[in-house]
Amino acid sequence: MLRDSHAFSGFSVDDIARATNFYGGTLGLEVSASGGLLTLYIAGGNNVLLYSKPNHVPATFTVLNFPVKSVDKAVETLGKLGVRFETYDLPGLKTDERGICRSEGGPVIAWFKDPAGNILSVLEAT
């Protein structure tokens, strides 16, 4: 029944205006806001819908991953735009001082948060 449906993902934020500035301005994505909703136009046609939720609680998992050629370059570029990368020093999850994880068996990846506290990542596409 849903095989041919053009599904899309979505998640909540606490402030559509701040989300618009972050995703459209800081990250440079094409966005449109209408009726209290924000659509992110992602390369490849996989749009993402953000909606305002008064009792928003940030996701505790990665809600959006951006494949990039070089995580090092993405961290440098986004860092200059004010994006702060998360650092982890947990069993099985360690990042360097810049927030980049280079664990064996996994992709090179770095996590950051949007203004609503949702977790996003840049990961090296091979």
Side-chain angles (χ1 to χ4, degrees), residues 1-122:
M1 178 173 119
L2 299 177
R3 170 179 243 135
D4 295 323
S5 176
H6 294 262
F8 60 91
S9 182
F11 54 90
S12 70
V13 296
D14 56 355
D15 186 313
I16 291 293
R18 281 192 324 154
T20 301
N21 288 336
F22 178 74
Y23 286 97
T26 303
L27 299 186
L29 300 177
E30 182 182 344
V31 301
S32 68
S34 177
L37 303 172
L38 178 66
T39 302
L40 310 180
Y41 298 96
I42 306 296
N46 297 321
N47 299 339
V48 178
L49 182 70
L50 278 60
Y51 54 93
S52 182
K53 186 175 175 190
N55 59 347
H56 166 75
V57 175
T60 58
F61 53 88
T62 309
V63 297
L64 192 56
N65 298 284
F66 293 95
V68 295
K69 290 182 182 178
S70 169
V71 167
D72 287 285
K73 184 172 177 140
V75 165
E76 179 182 337
T77 301
L78 290 170
K80 289 177 182 175
L81 295 171
V83 173
R84 188 181 68 78
F85 286 85
E86 301 297 303
T87 56
Y88 299 103
D89 188 9
L90 306 167
L93 177 60
K94 297 195 184 308
T95 60
D96 63 20
E97 65 282 349
R98 295 175 61 212
I100 301 173
C101 179
R102 302 175 196 278
S103 65
E104 284 189 37
V108 177
I109 187 168
W111 293 273
F112 60 102
K113 293 181 179 178
D114 73 3
N118 294 308
I119 303 168
L120 315 174
S121 85
V122 288

